[in-house]
């Protein structure tokens, strides 16, 4: 079945460590790609998105993601994490040809940053 | 400005009962989405409205689930003959016109079916 996969269920880092969260999708064709974040007790909110153009996308709070078409991947990165980055991170895809923009989410990665 | 709101925040019901979950989108947003999130999983798409019409209901799991948006703003998700497997957080999101517009999510309604 076509899907979105996030490789890590739970990642634990110390402050100032670098972060990379993996995301792969299995859809062929042109997709729109997203990373959403849910901080404890808060709503899901958009971190960044990619539709076309430069495959390196910069988002809020120092996050960036790189689209690698040949690998069907859209990994999220941050050079130096902070305690406040503790949250759950979701990768999402809008499937090819979908005009309405429905999102297909991965299962999420919980990030815990130790102060 | 006001974000997406959902009521109730929590709903506990018994197996076999009928429930309604309400979503108030951001004013002026024509697109509205419902998702369902089970424990330990990402949100799962249920239905998408463009204005008053359901443009994509491919995610509704069966005919016990139904949603309406009669005036193109507030939406209600209706679940008949609830089952224990329906227990989840039901999320609503809205966006300005749909497509690639940013979806803004509400806080969700946690439904527990006993």
């Amino acid at each position: 079945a076509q899907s979105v996969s996030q490789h890590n269920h739970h990642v634990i880092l110390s402050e100032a460590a670098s972060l990379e969260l993996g995301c792969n999708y299995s859809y062929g064709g042109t997709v729109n790609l997203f990373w959403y974040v849910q901080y404890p007790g808060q709503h899901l909110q958009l971190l960044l998105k990619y539709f076309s153009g430069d495959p390196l996308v910069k988002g809020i709070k120092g996050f960036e993601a790189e689209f690698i078409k040949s690998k069907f991947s859209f990994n999220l990165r941050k050079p130096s994490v902070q305690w406040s980055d503790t949250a759950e991170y979701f990768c999402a895809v809008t499937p090819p040809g979908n005009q309405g923009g429905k999102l297909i989410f991965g299962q999420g990665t919980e990030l815990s940053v130790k102060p | 400005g006001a974000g997406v709101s959902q009521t109730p925040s929590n709903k506990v019901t018994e197996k076999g009962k009928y429930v309604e979950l309400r979503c108030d989108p951001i004013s002026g947003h024509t697109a509205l989405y419902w998702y369902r999130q089970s424990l330990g999983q990402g949100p799962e798409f249920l239905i998408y409205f463009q204005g008053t019409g359901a443009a994509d209901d491919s995610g509704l799991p069966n005919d016990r689930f139904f949603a309406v948006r009669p005036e193109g703003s507030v939406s209600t998700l209706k679940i008949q003959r609830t089952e224990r497997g329906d227990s989840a957080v039901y999320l609503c999101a809205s966006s300005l016109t749909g497509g690639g517009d940013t979806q803004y999510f509400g806080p969700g309604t946690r439904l527990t079916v006993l």
Side-chain angles (χ1 to χ4, degrees):
Chain A
Q2 295 177 321
S3 66
V4 179
S5 298
Q6 293 183 239
H7 312 301
N8 307 101
H9 182 63
H10 192 186
V11 172
I12 303 172
L13 294 173
S14 297
E15 275 194 314
S18 64
L19 170 72
E20 181 160 2
L21 301 182
C23 173
N24 285 88
Y25 61 94
S26 61
Y27 298 89
T30 301
V31 296
N32 295 335
L33 297 156
F34 306 80
W35 275 96
Y36 276 81
V37 61
Q38 187 165 26
Y39 297 103
Q42 296 189 25
H43 311 176
L44 269 170
Q45 59 183 280
L46 181 69
L47 262 183
L48 48 79
K49 60 184 179 182
Y50 174 79
F51 290 176
S52 63
D54 187 344
L56 186 61
V57 181
K58 295 194 183 299
I60 60 171
K61 304 187 180 186
F63 286 90
E64 65 180 30
E66 184 176 14
F67 170 54
I68 303 179
K69 188 174 181 179
S70 61
K71 295 185 177 180
F72 297 86
S73 71
F74 190 56
N75 292 355
L76 181 70
R77 300 195 294 244
K78 186 171 184 179
S80 176
V81 296
Q82 301 173 312
W83 177 78
S84 59
D85 293 324
T86 294
E88 188 147 23
Y89 293 80
F90 294 94
C91 180
V93 169
T94 296
N98 185 274
Q99 301 302 313
K102 76 178 184 185
L103 297 172
I104 308 299
F105 284 87
Q107 62 267 51
T109 297
E110 184 180 350
L111 172 65
S112 299
V113 180
K114 299 184 293 185
Chain B
V4 177
S5 62
Q6 294 185 244
T7 54
S9 55
N10 279 284
K11 176 70 177 178
V12 180
T13 191
E14 293 179 343
K15 181 175 177 293
K17 299 290 189 183
Y18 168 83
V19 297
E20 289 189 351
L21 311 179
R22 177 187 167 108
C23 172
D24 280 88
I26 293 172
S27 178
H29 281 193
T30 64
L32 185 146
Y33 306 80
W34 284 98
Y35 296 85
R36 176 171 71 173
Q37 187 172 18
S38 300
L39 195 62
Q41 302 296 318
E44 173 192 11
F45 170 79
L46 295 177
I47 187 169
Y48 154 60
F49 285 90
Q50 182 56 251
T52 60
D56 182 353
D57 65 357
S58 61
L60 293 178
N62 51 59
D63 61 5
R64 296 186 298 105
F65 288 75
F66 190 71
V68 295
R69 195 186 185 199
E71 297 178 358
S73 56
V74 170
S75 175
T76 305
L77 179 66
K78 308 180 181 195
I79 310 174
Q80 298 178 321
R81 305 183 304 280
T82 51
E83 300 177 356
R84 292 195 179 88
D86 299 334
S87 296
V89 176
Y90 289 80
L91 298 169
C92 177
S94 71
S95 73
L96 190 59
T97 62
D101 290 343
T102 297
Q103 293 184 29
Y104 295 88
F105 282 80
T109 293
R110 181 176 299 278
L111 175 66
T112 303
V113 181
L114 301 176

